[in-house]
Amino acid sequence: EPQHRDEVSKQSFFDKLPADELLEKELELRQILMDSLDIYFQKHPAGEGPALSMIAGQTKAYQEIKSSFLKGVSLREWVDRRIGGEVATKMGSNGQVIIFPRDREVNESSADADEVMETAAELDGKAQDFFDNLPPDGFLSQEEVLREAILNFLEAWDDVTPPTMKVLQRNTEIRDLTKACLSGAPSSVSLKMWIDRRIGGEIATWRKDGRAREVSIGLRTDHGEEADAANSIEEAAAEASSTKKRKVEEGDGLFGSGKGRGR
């Protein structure tokens, strides 16, 4: 019944909006998203699009509109129903809801969809449920505090070599905030997984050269290209290993282990 009331409330919100024009607040919100898209694709021409959570977390103007206008309605729902003809939303390869210009949709390949499905499949059911229940276009209060702490840690880091996840988690404040943020998460959800899926548009994690033992972490503005290249190498190696293992298993299934053959 509570869910039914929520749906009725949302429908009532949209029913009160004019069908053939946008209100002033909506025009402001649309401009925020358009500006975010322009900035993102100037920096990442081949990227998927900015995460809604990143826009919501970084834009003070959005927070004001959210509190005064988008009451009980998510940003994704508003985008889909009010400006869906020019801006589209989808689940990105990092598990976050992203936006992109509708005219880029024709360039989306089936391979991109497969990649998203594979990424989602890497999570077990309980972990997937945990992330599915988090707001797609904003953060819970404990998430916001953890996000700010990690950003402050990285911005204060003055070594040329970026820190590792191990170094980050030695920080007492980060450790305590992580525990509070992930208190309701299954044991399979790690801080790295939360970073990748919730603030991956701002912070990157990667293994140096795609094969280092330690996972590095840094601001995407500083290390985005290095991280993307390293993650691509690691993913390619993992895929090659998986293919090799599959071929070996298929060979065993066809021909057996080889024992007992001969004379």
Side-chain angles (χ1 to χ4, degrees), residues 127-185:
Q128 187 64 56
D129 288 343
F130 170 76
F131 285 108
D132 286 346
N133 287 323
L134 296 177
D137 53 6
F139 302 103
L140 299 178
S141 58
Q142 58 267 39
E143 289 187 295
E144 185 61 62
V145 176
L146 177 57
R147 169 182 169 271
E148 286 294 333
I150 295 175
L151 286 171
N152 290 339
F153 178 90
L154 294 175
E155 288 169 356
W157 186 262
D158 57 3
D159 197 318
V160 176
T161 303
T164 63
M165 286 294 300
K166 184 177 292 186
V167 171
L168 176 73
Q169 290 174 286
R170 285 185 191 141
N171 180 282
T172 303
E173 180 187 19
I174 299 291
R175 190 166 60 245
D176 291 345
L177 291 175
T178 299
K179 184 177 180 180
C181 183
L182 302 183
S183 61

Side-chain angles (χ1 to χ4, degrees), residues 48 51-53 76 90-98 115-123 127-128 130-137 193-201:
E48 291 183 296
L52 283 181
S53 60
R76 184 180 191 180
K90 72 170 186 178
M91 190 68 72
S93 57
N94 62 357
Q96 296 181 311
V97 176
I98 65 171
E115 182 181 354
V116 174
M117 290 175 66
E118 287 177 10
T119 303
E122 291 174 3
L123 293 180
Q128 187 64 56
F130 170 76
F131 285 108
D132 286 346
N133 287 323
L134 296 177
D137 53 6
M193 189 182 293
W194 179 84
I195 289 172
D196 291 343
R197 290 186 163 260
R198 296 296 286 167
I199 55 176

Side-chain angles (χ1 to χ4, degrees), residues 40-47 162 200-210 216-234:
Y40 176 88
F41 284 112
Q42 284 175 13
K43 295 180 179 179
H44 313 283
E202 301 172 276
I203 297 174
T205 65
W206 72 99
R207 297 180 191 276
K208 185 174 176 58
D209 299 324
S216 298
I217 181 171
L219 297 173
R220 188 162 283 282
T221 52
D222 298 332
H223 302 282
E225 291 184 5
E226 177 188 359
D228 290 343
N231 287 331
S232 293
I233 293 173
E234 184 177 0

Side-chain angles (χ1 to χ4, degrees), residues 23-71:
L23 298 178
E24 183 177 345
K25 287 286 186 183
E26 292 185 292
L27 289 172
E28 291 178 22
L29 182 53
R30 175 187 174 278
Q31 193 59 52
I32 290 172
L33 297 178
M34 291 302 183
D35 290 344
S36 297
L37 285 169
D38 287 343
I39 293 171
Y40 176 88
F41 284 112
Q42 284 175 13
K43 295 180 179 179
H44 313 283
E48 291 183 296
L52 283 181
S53 60
M54 181 178 70
I55 297 173
Q58 290 183 331
T59 313
K60 184 178 180 180
Y62 165 75
Q63 295 293 344
E64 294 174 352
I65 294 176
K66 171 75 174 176
S67 61
S68 63
F69 177 66
L70 289 181
K71 295 181 178 179

